[in-house]
Amino acid sequence: MFAVVLERMGSFRGGRVLYRIVSAGAECGNDCSIQINGGEKAKKQRGLNLVIYNHELRSVVDSVCFDTYVPELTASR
């Protein structure tokens, strides 16, 4: 088995909004990051972290984490 850290960077809104996404499982430090224009927007908790950006409002409207490790599949905002 091998460990992998995933990282993606890019932009949207014609290059005016920059993003950086990092995912590292337990074998790689158990970390995640979702940054928009340099600011951290993820909950940074174990599981699946999602950030919702509204193009019309030009801002993050929600950030949630689903803990996929526990059977109850808990969510936190």
Side-chain angles (χ1 to χ4, degrees):
M1 187 166 164
F2 59 94
V4 176
V5 176
L6 301 175
E7 179 177 8
R8 296 290 182 261
M9 296 176 5
S11 66
F12 53 93
R13 295 194 38 79
R16 293 185 300 261
V17 179
L18 305 176
Y19 68 86
R20 178 176 177 259
I21 301 170
V22 176
S23 178
E27 301 85 15
C28 295
N30 198 29
D31 192 21
C32 76
S33 176
I34 303 173
Q35 296 178 4
I36 298 180
N37 283 338
E40 185 61 56
K41 305 300 180 185
K43 292 295 176 191
K44 296 186 68 70
Q45 297 173 358
R46 178 182 65 198
L48 179 63
N49 287 258
L50 301 174
V51 172
I52 309 302
Y53 183 90
N54 184 306
H55 284 274
E56 291 179 7
L57 297 176
R58 300 179 182 175
S59 66
V60 171
V61 294
D62 203 359
S63 180
V64 63
C65 177
F66 295 94
D67 189 344
T68 56
Y69 185 76
V70 295
E72 295 83 13
L73 190 63
T74 58
S76 58
R77 284 197 156 87

